[in-house]
Amino acid sequence: KAGVTQTPRYLIKTRGQQVTLSCSPISGHRSVSWYQQTPGQGLQFLFEYFSETQRNKGNFPGRFSGRQFSNSRSEMNVSTLELGDSALYLCASSLGVDGSTDTQYFGPGTRLTVL
Amino acid sequence: TQLLEQSPQFLSIQEGENLTVYCNSSSVFSSLQWYRQEPGEGPVLLVTVVTGGEVKKLKRLTFQFGDARKDSSLHITAAQPGDTGLYLCARRGYNFNKFYFGSGTKLNVKP
């Protein structure tokens, strides 16, 4: 079965621009989570979508937003880019059921560089 | 808020050596996961530990969950260059799939 795919893999933007990243989960998975990974802050949770609804949210400013479509594909958007938004953005999909056994499968990430 | 502390941050060893990585928290958690991430890839789940005192083995990797469910360790026996990567521990938050990750241990195994 195909894994989690993220597009694009690499992106270069300038300050003030906006960007949209895409994630296609594993077939049958209804939960998609987004994470930001930086050398200084590590892996930080952005938000989780389940059945087209945002179910969980991390501590990021409103410039970071997302959505999920009826086929479970998800996009995240960052507006008014800042230099500090340069990071690896990871998407993870899972069945989304409650309980400690639900497994997240991560995509390869999108490397965003803000100049 | 850094809920999970991992140590050491960096580890560089020779092939064949043993090593232990630690993950600690001041609060109790219901379960803990260990991931390995290789350059250019997303993290891959290695194991989930749920019960206090639980020990799980995955080939040369041994995972232990502390009795009080506040800490965990990962021990690698006879490390191989293929073990090189970033090892991350993670705990699930109180709400479904909100996960908190430790800062990671970067392991380099030299041939």
Side-chain angles (χ1 to χ4, degrees):
Chain A
K1 143 164 110 169
V4 178
T5 57
Q6 292 187 244
T7 56
R9 290 294 308 273
Y10 302 91
L11 208 45
I12 299 175
K13 293 284 188 179
T14 55
R15 276 182 299 175
Q17 287 187 307
Q18 75 160 17
V19 67
T20 299
L21 312 181
S22 181
C23 172
S24 291
I26 291 171
S27 177
H29 284 188
R30 294 165 65 189
S31 169
V32 174
S33 298
W34 288 90
Y35 293 84
Q36 182 195 66
Q37 187 174 31
T38 60
Q41 297 297 317
L43 237 165
Q44 291 189 290
F45 176 83
L46 278 156
F47 30 66
E48 183 220 1
Y49 285 87
F50 180 80
S51 292
E52 302 178 65
T53 302
Q54 188 180 87
R55 188 163 68 171
N56 280 296
K57 191 176 186 310
N59 298 323
F60 278 81
R63 299 186 297 109
F64 292 82
S65 62
R67 60 178 174 167
Q68 187 180 33
F69 302 96
S70 58
N71 62 358
S72 293
R73 192 177 69 85
S74 178
E75 290 181 345
M76 70 161 278
N77 185 77
V78 188
S79 62
T80 321
L81 284 166
E82 300 177 0
L83 295 178
D85 296 333
S86 294
L88 180 68
Y89 289 89
L90 291 159
C91 152
S93 82
S94 74
L95 292 171
V97 299
D98 193 12
S100 61
T101 57
D102 194 25
T103 299
Q104 289 190 110
Y105 295 88
F106 282 84
T110 294
R111 172 74 62 187
L112 172 65
T113 302
V114 182
L115 303 175
Chain B
T1 304
Q2 184 64 276
L3 298 176
L4 294 173
E5 303 252 348
Q6 281 190 247
S7 62
Q9 276 192 307
F10 302 96
L11 203 48
S12 184
I13 61 171
Q14 291 292 140
E15 181 177 359
E17 290 184 13
N18 301 334
L19 66 115
T20 302
V21 174
Y22 300 92
C23 177
N24 296 293
S25 172
S26 58
S27 43
V28 175
F29 32 85
S30 58
S31 66
L32 186 118
Q33 299 183 329
W34 284 95
Y35 292 81
R36 179 170 67 216
Q37 184 178 19
E38 298 183 24
E41 301 293 329
V44 174
L45 180 67
L46 296 172
V47 78
T48 300
V49 284
V50 179
T51 308
E54 182 176 5
V55 176
K56 280 193 174 177
K57 293 195 178 207
L58 188 66
K59 296 183 184 177
R60 294 175 294 98
L61 278 60
T62 302
F63 304 86
Q64 185 153 8
F65 201 14
D67 291 339
R69 291 188 287 126
K70 289 185 178 182
D71 58 272
S72 181
S73 63
L74 155 60
H75 182 79
I76 302 180
T77 304
Q80 305 291 313
D83 296 327
T84 292
L86 178 67
Y87 288 82
L88 296 155
C89 63
R91 57 159 287 190
R92 184 187 300 265
Y94 298 109
N95 299 320
F96 294 98
N97 277 349
K98 186 170 184 175
F99 281 86
Y100 298 93
F101 280 80
S103 52
T105 294
K106 203 163 194 176
L107 171 65
N108 180 36
V109 182
K110 294 175 280 188

